[in-house]
Amino acid sequence: MKGQHLESAFLWQIKILFFCLVSNFCFAQKTLIVVDSTGDVLPGVECFNKDYSFAMVSDVNGKIVIPGEFGNDTVSLKYLGFETVSLNLQDLSVLAYVVKMKTGQKLLEEIIMIGRSDIRATEFLQKVDAVNSIDISSSNSQTTVDALSQHADVYVQKSQMGGGSPVIRGFEANKVLLVVDGIRMNNAIYRNGHLQNSITIDQAILDQMEVIYGASSLMYGSDALGGVIHFRTKDPVLKLSNYEKSRVFGNYYMRYSTANKEKSGHFDINFGKRSWASLTSISFSDFGDQRMGSRRTKEYPDFGKRSTYQSRIGQEDVILNNENPNIQIGTSYNQFDLLQKVKFQINPNMNLTANIQFSKSSDIPRYDQLILKDNSIFQFGEWNYGPQQRALFSLKYKWTENLKFMDEIVVIASRQDIIESRIERQFGSDIRIKGKENVGVNSLTLDLHKKIIRNHTHLYYYGFDLNHNDVQSAIQNENILTGAIDNMQFTRYPSGGSTMDLLGGYFQYVNQAADTSIVLHTGVRYSYFNTFVKYSQSDPIQWPDYFYDGVQSTNDALTWSAGLNWRASKKLTIRMLTSTAFRAPNVDDIGKFRINNNDVSVPNTTLGAEKSINGELDISKKLGKNILISASTFYTRLTNAIIRRDYFLPDGRTSFTDGNRTYNVQSNINAGKAEIYGVSGNIKMNIMRNLRLLSSLSYLKGNVVDEKKLPLDHIPPLYGKTQLKFNHKKWDFTFLSLYNASKPLDLYGGSADNPEYATPEGALGWAVFNIYADYTFKSFTFQFGIENIFDKHYRTFSSGVSSPGINGIFAVRGKF
């Protein structure tokens, strides 16, 4: 009997021990390691249970820690581009489990947020392109404009290597609006012609670049005639849950390119707590002189060669022979970029983000002004854009709450300080001319939206924006031998200072049918703008007396848009839009002083806004599960275009005398009319699970509308690109071809198209082929690339510098 009791007690002890072990296992925390089919970890995978009482995101090591109290739940793992995984944690026999996620085979519609108010791309009626950070890093684009030309339907003009002027639907420079983090970059001195300001944005810290094609003044106001390019930098990431002490991660890379001996480096780090987070980014790039392609056409074997170059030896300018005529001496520069963001989570519905950006370059040689034209002598001994500097500080307040008048409000207050300078010296001269412009910009934007569901879904977007520009312009002549300074020179902009103010308000209404098949859009915007310029009595020219008191130009504009988004079937979508846009005259239009031979420009206080009306049609069609094709066509009519013509002074005189010189009076006036129309096509295709094709083609035509119907400037020839992406295990391969048709000289639109930098027959057609390869090992990615594989010599339309020849790229990226 005693033995039976002992045996029974022993069995109960075994049962209790077994129960404790099982309970311990069931209620112990479990760890998931999420990887793809190649075994690479996947950071950012969403993991949640049915009632969302547990929700977490995998860290940079693909790890998700699940507390013991959820050990018997079923969780879902979700990641864009992969099939969703459902997992019963109770079935796991180990505490650490590796989850493999499979790539989705369907052509997915990504949820892309666009613009200042983070509106879904699918809710835009305009054609929209979004270039993400993965695209930029995979091709190792050296600047933002290089990334745009490689990944969006944007044409890029270059006057020098340190620049790039985006062209959207035949509009360029001050007719395309640049925006960074919801803040307009276009300021009072953005000019017609070609602009290089896009390179002041650091592509290494971009989360996304958004291109909105076509008239976009409704939401953005002035300058959005051709479209909007929105540069969106990364945001700080808060601590995700109570199960991590802080959210610390970062990225870095080093890169070398052979065509211009580029040496670039970047580092960023995120530190996040529950209520605040910080993101710090530093980048530096050094570019040597760029080598152009060596394989030219038989008809123009010497086109673009830099056989000689100018240099300063001792106290005189000399001409030297270039040992390698394919090296474009006079293109090198460097650039430093800094970004600091701090995000404060005030409560679950409110946050405040401080944003500091700083960019500064070295002197950037204006290459197109340093080369020989028509085999003549060199005009300049030096021509540089002085160090280009952009500083930005902004505060962004976001409040999300379901109230009567809003669901969300976004307020952005900002200050920008821009310094631009030009340094010129004629060849053989000892006098160096230094011009410097300081532009300060204060701005405030307020955007609200409200969603009401009653049978149909009603969306209301409304807001206003304020923008104040202050321009100070200075100039001096320096004798480089004696150091003597002469300040009695003409400044580029009015010497007494200039200001420009923009004020606007908008309202947009969207009506969405219950089955979402038809969505109607309509909206209106009112804008007021004022430009003030003032001249100084110390100017070397005697102006009319009223110029010294200041000259003011005031005007307004009413713009609107209306359109339809019709989802005819699950696979067919048709979008139609008609809209108007405007560009307010700025200080560059009204007050830029210019003496050209015997002509002098004077302010025109009656100068009004350039205006356009635009119509477009976009059709997209899914063919099966893996093919998406789309086509867009548009027509734009531009009126009140600003052009320079003979003019008169207020007293009616058409000439102006200063001392012994008499000048013919000219001014900018609203007289031009033009039309631009075009068509573009795109295809996206999943050929197989690991192979994807993307291709686009764009054609534009533009005319000045008068009796002769002359060609309009800024219209590129037919252009396009084709891209193949393939991944296999730890390798990612990208094949990219860019191509461009020819454009004869008789279709050039004038001086802005720079015919002097083309061949005698115009811009030549060309095609280049690039290949990129990435190999990922743990937290490192090793990248290799060859651009312009066949070393083709080519120069993009209206550019003054030739594009790179064969270019080897070597980069190492890491994350922690």
Side-chain angles (χ1 to χ4, degrees):
M1 179 70 72
K2 186 178 179 181
Q4 288 178 342
H5 283 296
L6 286 173
E7 182 179 356
S8 176
F10 178 74
L11 287 174
W12 273 109
Q13 288 177 350
I14 293 295
K15 289 178 181 178
I16 292 170
L17 179 61
F18 178 76
F19 175 77
C20 290
L21 288 173
V22 170
S23 299
N24 232 6
F25 178 80
C26 290
F27 292 98
Q29 70 176 25
K30 296 180 181 179
T31 301
L32 305 180
I33 307 296
V34 190
V35 300
D36 62 15
S37 57
T38 67
D40 288 334
V41 296
L42 292 175
V45 176
E46 299 177 51
C47 180
F48 49 88
N49 59 3
K50 187 175 182 180
D51 61 0
Y52 286 91
S53 56
F54 169 76
M56 202 174 177
V57 177
S58 63
D59 64 15
V60 291
N61 298 311
K63 185 170 69 174
I64 300 171
V65 177
I66 302 174
E69 60 262 36
F70 303 108
N72 293 326
D73 288 10
T74 297
V75 295
S76 297
L77 288 91
K78 192 175 182 180
Y79 196 59
L80 184 64
F82 289 78
E83 296 177 2
T84 300
V85 174
S86 183
L87 198 64
N88 190 336
L89 299 177
Q90 194 173 5
D91 294 339
L92 302 186
S93 58
V94 291
L95 296 179
Y97 187 79
V98 176
V99 182
K100 278 192 177 183
M101 297 190 72
K102 296 180 181 180
T103 306
Q105 297 186 49
K106 294 183 179 179
L107 198 64
L108 298 177
E109 290 186 10
E110 297 180 69
I111 299 175
I112 300 172
M113 311 308 287
I114 300 293
R116 211 167 52 209
S117 302
D118 293 336
I119 300 173
R120 289 193 178 199
T122 52
E123 295 179 12
F124 269 81
L125 287 182
Q126 295 104 317
K127 177 186 173 183
V128 174
D129 273 337
V131 182
N132 60 39
S133 58
I134 297 174
D135 294 328
I136 297 171
S137 63
S138 67
S139 61
N140 274 293
S141 307
Q142 293 184 350
T143 66
T144 51
V145 286
D146 292 336
L148 284 169
S149 66
Q150 290 176 320
H151 300 289
D153 294 343
V154 174
Y155 201 85
V156 172
Q157 182 276 348
K158 288 192 176 186
S159 297
Q160 66 275 342
M161 185 178 70
S165 187
V167 182
I168 302 179
R169 290 189 171 179
F171 290 99
E172 186 181 356
N174 58 18
K175 295 178 179 63
V176 170
L177 182 63
L178 304 180
V179 178
V180 57
D181 291 333
I183 302 159
R184 61 181 293 129
M185 294 176 63
N186 292 41
N187 58 52
I189 65 171
Y190 268 41
R191 61 190 181 275
N192 190 16
H194 312 293
L195 282 175
Q196 318 301 326
N197 302 71
S198 297
I199 68 165
T200 64
I201 303 296
D202 180 15
Q203 82 285 356
I205 197 60
L206 287 177
D207 183 50
Q208 184 171 275
M209 291 191 297
E210 302 147 16
V211 183
I212 305 171
Y213 297 88
S216 304
S217 282
L218 177 65
M219 297 285 286
Y220 288 96
S222 180
D223 300 6
L225 294 173
V228 177
I229 299 175
H230 189 176
F231 303 103
R232 185 191 295 262
T233 61
K234 295 178 181 178
D235 279 327
V237 178
L238 298 167
K239 185 177 75 166
L240 300 172
S241 70
N242 293 324
Y243 305 107
E244 53 182 352
K245 293 181 179 179
S246 56
R247 184 73 164 151
V248 181
F249 62 91
N251 304 274
Y252 55 89
Y253 73 74
M254 294 177 290
R255 182 174 64 226
Y256 178 79
S257 301
T258 60
N260 55 9
K261 297 182 179 178
E262 176 213 13
K263 297 171 284 291
S264 291
H266 168 80
F267 174 83
D268 67 72
I269 183 169
N270 184 97
F271 181 85
K273 302 296 284 185
R274 177 62 98 178
S275 60
W276 68 274
S278 167
L279 173 64
T280 304
S281 168
I282 299 174
S283 298
F284 180 78
S285 294
D286 181 80
F287 304 99
D289 290 324
Q290 181 166 276
R291 177 190 173 278
M292 66 185 95
S294 62
R295 294 183 66 249
R296 295 172 169 81
T297 63
K298 293 180 181 178
E299 293 80 8
Y300 304 103
D302 296 322
F303 175 55
K305 285 185 177 180
R306 177 85 146 136
S307 300
T308 59
Y309 64 98
Q310 61 276 75
S311 182
R312 186 80 175 181
I313 298 179
Q315 296 184 356
E316 64 176 328
D317 290 330
V318 297
I319 299 175
L320 302 176
N321 291 322
N322 188 358
E323 294 182 0
N324 185 349
N326 289 319
I327 301 294
Q328 298 176 97
I329 295 175
T331 52
S332 62
Y333 76 102
N334 61 63
Q335 182 167 316
F336 170 79
D337 294 283
L338 171 70
L339 177 142
Q340 176 64 57
K341 281 187 175 182
V342 181
K343 181 176 183 178
F344 301 94
Q345 194 69 39
I346 302 168
N347 60 44
N349 298 325
M350 294 183 188
N351 63 68
L352 182 69
T353 303
N355 183 357
I356 300 173
Q357 298 178 22
F358 178 79
S359 175
K360 186 174 183 179
S361 72
S362 65
D363 284 355
I364 300 178
R366 176 77 185 268
Y367 183 76
D368 64 347
Q369 296 297 320
L370 296 174
I371 58 178
L372 291 173
K373 303 174 188 178
D374 303 323
N375 296 318
S376 61
I377 63 172
F378 288 110
Q379 181 180 358
F380 293 99
E382 54 182 293
W383 205 124
N384 296 317
Y385 286 114
Q388 185 170 247
Q389 182 174 304
R390 180 184 66 88
L392 177 148
F393 174 76
S394 73
L395 285 173
K396 179 179 179 180
Y397 170 75
K398 188 174 183 178
W399 176 21
T400 303
E401 190 164 348
N402 186 6
L403 302 176
K404 287 184 177 181
F405 64 95
M406 67 160 224
D407 291 330
E408 183 177 90
I409 181 173
V410 177
V411 182
I412 304 175
S414 69
R415 167 72 183 185
Q416 296 180 79
D417 289 287
I418 300 100
I419 298 176
E420 294 184 4
S421 56
R422 292 165 176 79
I423 304 168
E424 306 174 27
R425 186 177 57 80
Q426 297 283 326
F427 187 83
S429 172
D430 298 328
I431 303 301
R432 178 185 291 139
I433 303 172
K434 294 182 176 180
K436 185 177 182 181
E437 278 67 55
N438 289 269
V439 183
V441 184
N442 298 317
S443 67
L444 175 69
T445 62
L446 184 147
D447 299 286
L448 305 94
H449 76 255
K450 177 65 181 176
K451 183 177 184 178
I452 300 175
I453 302 176
R454 292 174 184 163
N455 294 325
H456 288 203
T457 299
H458 306 269
L459 295 168
Y460 302 90
Y461 299 92
Y462 58 103
F464 72 87
D465 44 75
L466 300 167
N467 191 274
H468 173 77
N469 290 240
D470 182 82
V471 181
Q472 299 296 324
S473 189
I475 196 168
Q476 67 177 26
N477 283 4
E478 175 192 10
N479 188 309
I480 61 176
L481 297 181
T482 66
I485 301 296
D486 176 13
N487 292 316
M488 290 295 291
Q489 302 298 321
F490 294 112
T491 54
R492 182 175 177 88
Y493 299 108
S495 54
S498 311
T499 61
M500 183 177 77
D501 296 293
L502 299 170
L503 167 64
Y506 72 92
F507 175 84
Q508 183 179 19
Y509 169 66
V510 179
N511 185 308
Q512 187 179 80
D515 61 359
T516 72
S517 62
I518 296 179
V519 183
L520 299 173
H521 294 242
T522 186
V524 65
R525 178 188 182 92
Y526 173 77
S527 299
Y528 167 87
F529 37 94
N530 177 284
T531 304
F532 177 82
V533 298
K534 185 177 181 181
Y535 294 84
S536 172
Q537 293 189 1
S538 62
D539 284 353
I541 195 170
Q542 185 66 38
W543 295 106
D545 290 342
Y546 74 95
F547 279 28
Y548 302 128
D549 297 326
V551 180
Q552 184 169 268
S553 174
T554 301
N555 218 316
D556 60 4
L558 186 69
T559 52
W560 52 267
S561 74
L564 168 70
N565 186 339
W566 177 32
R567 189 178 290 270
S569 68
K570 290 183 178 180
K571 296 187 176 183
L572 176 64
T573 302
I574 300 173
R575 299 183 185 185
M576 293 173 282
L577 173 69
T578 180
S579 58
T580 59
F582 76 100
R583 190 185 76 81
N586 60 19
V587 172
D588 189 85
D589 298 307
I590 293 176
K592 182 165 66 177
F593 177 79
R594 183 174 182 176
I595 288 183
N596 185 16
N597 297 322
N598 294 319
D599 297 323
V600 61
S601 58
V602 298
N604 175 7
T605 57
T606 65
L607 197 63
E610 297 180 292
K611 297 180 180 180
S612 73
I613 183 166
N614 178 73
E616 58 186 281
L617 172 67
D618 181 271
I619 301 174
S620 61
K621 171 75 173 176
K622 285 184 179 179
L623 303 177
K625 296 180 179 179
N626 298 315
I627 301 175
L628 175 65
I629 59 172
S630 61
S632 300
T633 184
F634 76 94
Y635 177 88
T636 299
R637 181 87 168 192
L638 181 67
T639 58
N640 285 344
I642 296 174
I643 58 177
R644 192 179 302 277
R645 289 290 185 267
D646 289 342
Y647 203 62
F648 51 86
L649 294 172
D651 59 9
R653 287 181 297 152
T654 58
S655 63
F656 176 69
T657 301
D658 178 54
N660 297 324
R661 293 206 61 178
T662 298
Y663 298 96
N664 176 53
V665 174
Q666 288 193 331
S667 185
N668 281 332
I669 64 172
N670 297 107
K673 295 180 180 180
E675 61 179 5
I676 305 173
Y677 50 93
V679 62
S680 64
N682 297 74
I683 182 170
K684 297 179 181 179
M685 179 179 181
N686 283 346
I687 300 174
M688 50 193 296
R689 178 184 289 272
N690 298 329
L691 182 63
R692 192 180 190 196
L693 169 73
L694 303 104
S695 189
S696 67
L697 191 66
S698 299
Y699 171 78
L700 299 173
K701 181 76 173 178
N703 298 301
V704 176
V705 180
D706 59 16
E707 294 179 359
K708 297 181 180 179
K709 257 200 170 183
L710 297 173
L712 186 66
D713 50 12
H714 302 289
I715 305 297
L718 178 76
Y719 66 96
K721 63 180 181 292
T722 297
Q723 187 177 69
L724 276 170
K725 292 185 174 183
F726 175 73
N727 61 75
H728 178 68
K729 295 184 178 179
K730 296 180 181 294
W731 287 92
D732 288 298
F733 297 93
T734 301
F735 170 83
L736 173 65
S737 177
L738 305 172
Y739 34 88
N740 196 136
S742 61
K743 182 165 185 174
L745 278 180
D746 59 1
L747 293 181
Y748 275 49
S751 60
D753 286 349
N754 296 323
E756 65 271 29
Y757 302 121
T759 69
E761 65 181 76
L764 302 177
W766 50 266
V768 294
F769 304 92
N770 311 328
I771 189 167
Y772 309 94
D774 294 2
Y775 177 77
T776 301
F777 177 73
K778 295 185 177 179
S779 61
F780 297 98
T781 300
F782 301 91
Q783 297 180 303
F784 315 91
I786 303 177
E787 296 179 325
N788 195 355
I789 294 171
F790 300 109
D791 202 28
K792 172 76 173 176
H793 177 270
Y794 69 105
R795 181 176 289 180
T796 55
F797 165 69
S798 78
S799 294
V801 62
S802 295
S803 298
I806 187 169
N807 181 35
I809 301 171
F810 309 93
V812 178
R813 295 179 183 269
K815 55 188 178 183
F816 59 90

